[in-house]
Amino acid sequence: MNQPLRNSGSTEHYDVVVIGAGVSGMYALHHLREMGLSVRVYDGASDVGGTWWYNRYPGARVDGPGSPFYCYTFSEELMQEWDWKETQSEQSAVLAYLEHVADRFDLRRDIQFETWVQDARYDEAAQRWTVETDTGVRASARFLICALGALSTANMPDIPGIHDFAGECYHTGQWPHEPVSFEGKRVAVIGTGSSGIQSIPEIAKEAAHMTVLQRTAQYAFPAGNRPITPEDMADARANWDGIRAKMHANVGGFPFDMHARAALDDTPEQREALYEELWQRGGFQFFLDLYNDIAVSEEANASLADFVRDKIREIVRDPKTAEKLMPDHFVMTKRPILDDGYFETFNRDNVTLVDLREDPIERFTATSVVTRTGEHPIDVLVLATGFDAISGSMLRLNPKGRGGMSLRERWQDRFHNYLGLTIAGFPNLFMIHGPGSPGVFYNMPLGAERQMDWIGKCMDHLREQELGAIEPSAESEEAWANEVSAIANVTLFPRTDSWWTGANVPGKPRGFSAYLGGSIYYQRISDLAAKDYEGFVFEKANRSGDTET
Ligand code: N01
């Protein structure tokens, strides 16, 4: 079933078109093939890996709970045969794993690389999607799966003169595949999120001079990267069933127990002792072993924020620089960052910190960046300015649904969706890690598997019931938006400007874009499916042949 079903003129016909060959799209392809469906995947890159194919900047590593649990769980054999070497795997190690997955499951034969999907339109009469690509290939499919990546559309700063800059310029999310040399060069980095904080220490080691252009000071925690020994791997393999079950049950999709105490139940001395112990140990475990009220109580939050600010003052020798590095938002309400020598980097003689809040960028020239207080001559500009996250890639694709309505029109004021998976007016279109899903707040490979498994069952349901199309009702979208907001509003997250709220992209509608219920989400979507897909509207198949998936 994996060849085009039929080819009419220049249009290839499939059961499913998947856009994106990253972690989500790769699993989608595997799962759909297992279901016996014909599938075509398109990706603009020249190989698999998605975010891990693009983000090759110096210092790029897993900065979540890490290996060996940032991985697929669908294949026991895959787990048994792959060796992870470090807890915070380098980009190249994660990419090697994904390449291995592609080889092992022979994925590439159904993926067309270096092919950008330029348009996707729903044909109401045929109940099918048609996609147009920049290689001239056109494909039609009953279902469209958007596995576009939550962090894949680069956020390019619009600063006067930036296009006049004549030196080398790189965005961390679109890093060249050839080595970039910083030796003897004057480098400026804009951005101090995860990508900036991972790359700045590495680039500073090589550059003649580095200017860090910081708009928002950040909390960063020691990455605590450590080797994974053969014994660790053997343990993980021997206990894989239990680990997998724990991952499914855990709020974030990782096999860890959460701390049961609240910060305010402890004395200041006890809190300090716990923070110190976690700081010394390092790793994302910091946030999991932490008190359970840091993200909900201002007072608890302040106790950790003060602790990190004291650490920054301890590490950074120049008090004026240390003050510029003091974050002033609630800790953890921007994506927590793991670093390896970030604050220490400001003790180097070749590094200058510019606080853009007091000394904003006025313009770029061909050879420099000019801030209010002076000119900084540079040879290389690194844009660690992040992404139009979560919704940005869907908006860039801008599919056209019923009546030719574009997603940009539909999402003008808010990212209307149901379950983070579907959109009213866009039948038979499914998003993986879309707005309104746990997405970036959950172990992403596992989340992709669980969403895709749900989508597969939904497709089966349509086939069994001889239905032609599924989409949510506008009312269920409204209720879902309220549920997402209600959960987020219990926390401090929506009170800080971040890419989670859309605040990093000028003009983007504000709103907290992720479902913070974690694993509850998967129970929720499964329960709704069991209730005959509550909240959805179905359409009979217009032609009997089209129910054959
Ligand atoms: O992007 P970011 P990122 N002028 O949006 C600044 C994941 N990730 O690529 O905070 C000046 O976090 C912006 O300032 P502000 C991870 O989930 C994973 O670093 O908006 N500055 C901020 O400092 C992460 O959270 C891994 O005020 C401008 C920075 O640029 C997510 O990706 C590694 C500006 C952007 O930070 C995104 O991280 C890396 C402007 N016009 C990332 N525009 C791994 O797991 C933006 N900024 C390996």
Side-chain angles (χ1 to χ4, degrees), residues 222 259 269-283 285-286 289-291 307 311:
H259 197 98
E269 293 71 26
Q270 286 169 320
R271 285 199 290 268
E272 185 79 9
L274 177 68
Y275 296 153
E276 186 61 38
E277 182 197 328
L278 296 176
W279 184 272
Q280 293 308 331
R281 205 186 325 149
Q285 199 71 16
F286 193 109
D289 287 347
L290 200 54
Y291 297 116
F307 172 85
K311 284 288 176 198

Side-chain angles (χ1 to χ4, degrees), residues 52 55 57 60-64 89 151 155-159 171-172 190-198 213-216 218 334-337 356-357 361 384-387 440 497-500 503-504:
W52 297 103
N55 285 266
Y57 58 82
R61 283 177 181 276
V62 170
D63 72 346
S89 296
L151 293 158
N155 177 32
M156 293 294 188
D158 184 16
I159 300 170
H171 189 283
T172 46
I190 306 184
T192 52
S194 304
S195 306
I197 284 180
Q198 284 187 334
L213 300 158
Q214 168 195 277
R215 183 163 75 181
T216 304
Q218 269 281 17
K334 279 175 174 285
R335 162 69 150 81
I337 296 176
L356 299 180
R357 289 194 183 171
I361 301 175
T385 45
F387 303 91
V440 291
D497 283 351
S498 69
W499 58 260
W500 289 333
N504 64 327

Side-chain angles (χ1 to χ4, degrees), residues 299-361:
E299 201 180 336
N301 195 281
S303 72
L304 177 60
D306 286 343
F307 172 85
V308 181
R309 285 192 281 255
D310 285 345
K311 284 288 176 198
I312 300 171
R313 286 191 190 96
E314 250 174 55
I315 298 169
V316 179
R317 287 197 289 267
D318 173 34
K320 279 193 186 149
T321 305
E323 276 323 296
K324 287 185 198 171
L325 287 165
M326 285 306 135
D328 58 8
H329 53 277
F330 295 118
V331 61
M332 285 171 64
T333 56
K334 279 175 174 285
R335 162 69 150 81
I337 296 176
L338 299 184
D339 82 290
D340 189 5
Y342 174 67
F343 295 115
E344 289 81 350
T345 299
F346 295 94
N347 294 332
R348 297 177 67 101
D349 293 337
N350 67 335
V351 176
T352 307
L353 176 64
V354 177
D355 177 356
L356 299 180
R357 289 194 183 171
E358 58 183 42
D359 189 11
I361 301 175

Side-chain angles (χ1 to χ4, degrees), residues 113-124:
F113 294 109
E114 298 181 1
T115 301
W116 192 256
V117 175
Q118 292 178 314
D119 194 29
R121 277 173 195 274
Y122 186 66
D123 177 337
E124 291 177 59

Side-chain angles (χ1 to χ4, degrees), residues 241-264:
D241 285 347
I243 289 173
R244 195 169 176 273
K246 219 167 168 183
M247 285 164 79
H248 275 248
N250 173 266
V251 64
F254 288 96
F256 304 121
D257 296 319
M258 308 297 280
H259 197 98
R261 282 180 76 76
L264 304 180

